[in-house]
Amino acid sequence: MIKIGNDINLAKKILDKNGLVAIPTETVYGLAGNATNKEAVNKIYLIKKRPFEDPLICHTNSLEKILNYTKNIPETAIKLADYFWPGPMTLIFEKKNIIPDITTSNLSTVGFRIPNNSITLELLHQLDYPLAAPSANIFGYISPTETKHITQNFKSGIDYILDGGKCNLGIESTIIGFHNNIPVIHRLGSLIIEDIKKKVGEVEIVSSDSKFPGSFKNHYTPNKDLFLGDVEKLFEKYKNKKIGILCFDKYYDFVDKKNQIILSKKSSLIEASKNLYSSLYKLDNMKNVDVILSSLLEENMIGRSINNRLIKSSIKND
Ligand code: TXA
Ligand code: MG
């Protein structure tokens, strides 16, 4: 059994000895270890079964600290940091050697963010090294937004789970690199493009089939097959199977309500994003469901990020 609690001192003690602690953030829970320590970072890759070519991102509590680990910070990055940190944004910088190559999969760049969660910020404040923290799930599976999701993924190997309740936003950070001072979005996330543009103008978006790290095609994937499209048509196609539905704001009348999860009764995309992963966990854990059906949401604001995750977690249906 993995110990769960809100003892920041214990979390620090474990991390100081290169152990692993799951930490709450406003996006999803992270599986954290000292980012400057190869042994701790190696353990993260091994217990997650994550390929060593998929770099980790680092977490700390101030821009000053980030400057110790990075160089040549573009002006636009400082602006973005000012506006959006602490918050669901990861910025990619050139790294200094103090960040070991294993943390960044031999890239010369490193991702940093200041998460917006009070217990984790307090922990980060007390540490004199940053925390490498990928999402606290087995590689490829659904990201965790509650502590019970972490214990579903891992029976051992994590020394402590710092309990921060349910994550507020529920979708990972937006990852932003820079190209001649212009922000380049590498991963859609909880910070929406509309808000970034309002503050800094032009942005570029890396296409989703790019080979860049962070763009693995299948990700956030339930064990059951998830099909996206017109739910009624999909129902006709799969009606000989036990069907579960991930609904946006209302139930469908051709499937038992017990096998359906609503993302937001009040039709809020923000609430839907908060509930997305926990709803996928619920459907994946339902004994009387074999396949999951759902449809894409409006392709704007946080809907764009929700759709990105739904597509990555689904099976191509053609
Ligand atoms: O919200 C989040 O970002 C959460 C919480 C825990 O902070 N973390 C998270 O980590 O989602 P992870 O490892 O699941 O996803 C980080 C992504 C990876 O897909 C990785 O490929 C990409 O960031 N990444 C890391 N370093 C990079 C770099 N230097 N350049 C480009 N992509 C990078
Ligand atoms: Mg992840």
Side-chain angles (χ1 to χ4, degrees):
M1 276 272 282
I2 304 173
K3 203 169 167 197
I4 306 182
N6 47 26
D7 186 343
I8 296 180
N9 293 330
L10 176 60
K12 177 177 185 313
K13 254 190 222 154
I14 293 167
L15 292 163
D16 283 348
K17 288 191 197 139
N18 302 321
L20 303 186
V21 174
I23 55 166
T25 82
E26 77 282 39
T27 59
V28 300
Y29 274 82
L31 174 56
N34 179 347
T36 65
N37 181 276
K38 292 182 197 163
E39 184 203 332
V41 172
N42 189 50
K43 275 198 263 182
I44 296 177
Y45 279 100
L46 293 182
I47 88 153
K48 258 189 81 92
K49 301 192 173 80
R50 178 177 177 115
F52 281 98
E53 59 270 22
D54 191 2
L56 307 183
I57 60 171
C58 300
H59 301 67
T60 188
N61 66 308
S62 76
L63 187 56
E64 277 107 305
K65 283 188 182 172
I66 293 174
L67 299 179
N68 296 329
Y69 303 102
T70 60
K71 53 190 181 190
N72 303 329
I73 305 235
E75 240 173 79
T76 321
I78 304 284
K79 265 197 197 168
L80 286 168
D82 256 14
Y83 290 129
F84 297 118
W85 275 342
M89 173 181 77
T90 297
L91 298 181
I92 309 288
F93 299 122
E94 286 178 46
K95 83 173 183 76
K96 289 184 183 163
N97 287 337
I98 179 168
I99 301 287
D101 289 336
I102 184 174
T103 307
T104 61
S105 308
N106 293 315
L107 292 176
S108 58
T109 55
V110 61
F112 259 95
R113 86 176 188 99
I114 303 179
N116 190 10
N117 174 284
S118 53
I119 189 166
T120 290
L121 278 175
E122 179 51 39
L123 171 67
L124 292 167
H125 174 74
Q126 290 184 22
L127 300 177
D128 52 13
Y129 46 84
L131 291 179
S135 51
N137 54 278
I138 300 287
F139 181 73
Y141 195 57
I142 310 161
S143 305
T145 53
E146 298 175 42
T147 59
K148 67 179 180 198
H149 302 155
I150 305 172
T151 50
Q152 183 177 327
N153 277 271
F154 303 101
K155 297 298 167 220
S156 62
I158 302 182
D159 301 295
Y160 190 56
I161 298 175
L162 199 54
D163 191 351
K166 185 166 176 173
C167 299
N168 249 335
L169 302 178
I171 287 191
E172 292 86 347
S173 62
T174 302
I175 300 184
I176 307 176
F178 299 91
H179 180 229
N180 300 330
N181 215 24
I182 294 172
V184 181
I185 315 280
H186 290 288
R187 176 178 74 181
L188 298 176
S190 275
L191 177 63
I192 60 174
I193 292 174
E194 288 85 346
D195 285 347
I196 302 170
K197 278 187 178 162
K198 254 186 244 162
K199 297 294 184 193
V200 296
E202 193 189 349
V203 304
E204 287 172 19
I205 300 179
V206 175
S207 82
S208 59
D209 54 4
S210 137
K211 291 279 179 297
F212 209 81
S215 59
F216 286 86
K217 253 190 172 158
N218 278 88
H219 229 120
Y220 324 104
T221 317
N223 291 321
K224 294 172 187 168
D225 288 351
L226 167 67
F227 296 102
L228 293 176
D230 180 322
V231 170
E232 201 164 345
K233 282 194 191 139
L234 289 171
F235 172 74
E236 282 306 315
K237 186 162 173 189
Y238 294 104
K239 68 180 170 204
N240 59 337
K241 304 208 179 222
K242 291 185 212 154
I243 288 179
I245 306 181
L246 178 67
C247 317
F248 175 44
D249 53 1
K250 55 181 179 306
Y251 292 115
Y252 293 85
D253 54 18
F254 40 84
V255 165
D256 189 339
K257 276 188 190 169
K258 285 202 296 289
N259 292 3
Q260 303 189 53
I261 305 277
I262 291 186
L263 287 170
S264 171
K265 284 201 166 112
K266 56 180 191 208
S267 313
S268 149
L269 287 175
I270 290 171
E271 187 179 41
S273 111
K274 179 169 179 166
N275 290 329
L276 178 68
Y277 291 143
S278 56
S279 305
L280 284 172
Y281 271 97
K282 281 182 195 151
L283 285 160
D284 211 26
N285 289 333
M286 279 182 190
K287 296 259 179 316
N288 50 348
V289 167
D290 289 337
V291 298
I292 306 167
L293 309 183
S294 194
S295 54
L296 294 176
L297 306 185
E298 266 173 78
E299 182 71 10
N300 63 34
M301 313 297 271
I302 193 68
R304 211 189 306 269
S305 307
I306 297 174
N307 288 346
N308 170 275
R309 299 305 192 266
L310 281 173
I311 290 167
K312 287 199 173 176
S313 56
S314 71
I315 305 290
K316 283 263 172 322
N317 180 54
D318 39 29

